[in-house]
Amino acid sequence: MSSEYMPYTVETRPDTGLYNARLGIWLFLASEVMLFGALFSTYILLRVGAEPGHWPQGASILNVPIGTFNTAILIASSMTMVMSWASLKLKNFGKYKLYMGLTILFALVFLGMKYIEYSQKFEHHLFPSHSTYLAIYFTLTGLHALHIIGGVIVNGYFWGPGSRMWQTDPGRFTNRIEVAGLYWHFVDLVWIFLFPVLYLL
Amino acid sequence: MSAEIEHVNAEVKKYLLVFIGLLFLTMVTVAASYLHLPLAMAVLLALVIATIKGSLVVCYFMHMISEKRLIYLVLGFTVTFFAAVLLLPMVNHHDIIRGAEVVH
């Protein structure tokens, strides 16, 4: 099967000044902002509506050192993600593989720590049904973890079989990594707000 | 060395500074939580630091600082509606049923 030419995967459209995927990912991220925005709004509603003194401080229930470690890991993964894209810009495919591999590894560490956290809660019979605080905690962090899993799948494809495109169409592959990076940084951004809101306040 | 490679190398230096800044601000956030400030102050401080960290990620890692006009337009709408969604609970603050947090 011969592949047909797809316009504006590398070159920019004259009317938007962007290649199509870049506009597409920003529109997608705009919808993601509203998804998480609605849940943050729910959090505010529940917290403001709680009887004074009844809303637990996150640190009394959650493990702050694990949360801090996970924040640092996710920031590190954002750094390696942007470095993987920069490596392609510098035509260094070997470094791209290294940085993208590290990004995936950091994401898996994050998920592993999240699994430990969830397990500790379940061992103490702290389920979403236990309280409104835990319900919104599991909803927000669970949805965020699903986004991490989605990112690992996409990044794993670009690290493995998808990276063959570098040989045939390096410009398009570099743009794909930029788009995947924009998604990944957004996932990091969400956690930057989730961490203090859920763990520290 | 081509101009593009020089540009990317300069960007990499910025990424490293942003990375260090983000780690530092994470430590500041955690340290501030041990000061046991009044709740309003603690919320304000945590959100200000998170906003600075978020801005660093968006501006540098996501290249928002040099993005095209159309993206700014899309995000302008997004920020407006995001703010509206966050402020909605404040609008009906007096209608909230107190003590609704426990679902034993």
Side-chain angles (χ1 to χ4, degrees):
Chain A
M1 192 171 74
S2 66
S3 60
E4 290 182 21
Y5 173 71
M6 191 184 288
Y8 309 119
T9 55
V10 178
E11 74 279 25
T12 55
R13 274 179 71 110
D15 51 356
T16 63
L18 301 154
Y19 60 90
N20 280 351
R22 189 152 166 181
L23 177 59
I25 192 70
W26 275 112
L27 289 171
F28 172 69
L29 292 181
S31 74
E32 290 278 88
V33 167
M34 296 314 294
L35 172 66
F36 279 100
L39 286 169
F40 271 110
S41 181
T42 305
Y43 168 86
I44 294 170
L45 182 74
L46 293 171
R47 180 152 192 169
V48 171
E51 287 286 354
H54 277 63
W55 191 267
Q57 205 208 357
S60 66
I61 294 178
L62 304 178
N63 190 324
V64 174
I66 287 184
T68 308
F69 176 77
N70 260 353
T71 305
I73 276 286
L74 219 48
I75 288 169
S77 80
S78 247
M79 176 67 186
T80 52
M81 185 78 205
V82 79
M83 286 303 293
S84 71
W85 169 79
S87 301
L88 291 179
K89 282 285 192 187
L90 296 169
K91 319 273 185 231
N92 191 333
F93 186 70
K95 275 202 169 167
Y96 157 75
K97 290 282 269 190
L98 172 70
Y99 284 123
M100 185 56 102
L102 282 172
T103 306
I104 297 164
L105 179 68
F106 290 152
L108 292 174
V109 170
F110 179 93
L111 288 173
M113 298 305 279
K114 210 73 215 140
Y115 173 78
I116 291 169
E117 267 194 298
Y118 275 20
S119 300
Q120 286 174 348
K121 295 289 153 294
F122 296 154
E123 276 172 20
H124 292 90
H125 303 287
L126 293 171
F127 298 103
S129 58
H130 180 78
S131 68
T132 310
Y133 170 78
L134 283 172
I136 195 72
Y137 163 75
F138 279 111
T139 304
L140 278 165
T141 57
L143 184 67
H144 180 264
L146 283 176
H147 279 75
I148 297 273
I149 291 168
V152 167
I153 292 169
V154 171
N155 288 343
Y157 173 74
F158 287 143
W159 183 81
S163 68
R164 282 197 292 266
M165 184 183 270
W166 175 253
Q167 310 300 331
T168 55
D169 198 347
R172 187 176 177 190
F173 183 67
T174 305
N175 284 351
R176 281 186 164 192
I177 299 306
E178 183 177 30
V179 167
L182 286 170
Y183 169 81
W184 193 251
H185 302 313
F186 173 78
V187 174
D188 182 24
L189 179 67
V190 170
W191 185 259
I192 282 173
F193 283 92
L194 279 184
F195 172 61
V197 164
L198 292 175
Y199 284 73
L200 303 177
L201 297 177
Chain B
M1 197 188 287
S2 77
E4 190 183 10
I5 288 177
E6 270 183 49
H7 173 70
V8 174
N9 280 329
E11 288 295 301
V12 166
K13 283 177 188 155
K14 284 184 200 165
Y15 300 151
L16 195 60
L17 288 174
V18 168
F19 174 56
I20 293 165
L22 288 170
L23 289 180
F24 173 72
L25 288 171
T26 300
M27 294 305 129
V28 172
T29 310
V30 176
S33 74
Y34 288 103
L35 294 176
H36 302 294
L37 296 168
L39 183 64
M41 190 64 136
V43 169
L44 186 69
L45 186 62
L47 290 182
V48 165
I49 297 172
T51 304
I52 294 169
K53 286 169 72 182
S55 303
L56 286 172
V57 170
V58 171
C59 287
Y60 293 98
F61 286 173
M62 299 175 87
H63 309 134
M64 181 56 65
I65 210 156
S66 55
E67 198 42 277
K68 293 285 184 288
R69 203 168 150 263
L70 182 62
I71 300 296
Y72 290 138
L73 189 68
V74 168
L75 290 179
F77 277 111
T78 309
V79 168
T80 305
F81 285 107
F82 177 72
V85 164
L86 283 190
L87 290 173
L88 272 179
M90 304 302 158
V91 175
N92 75 337
H93 178 250
H94 297 292
D95 298 332
I96 294 169
I97 301 165
R98 295 279 159 187
E101 88 283 7
V102 180
V103 284
H104 289 301

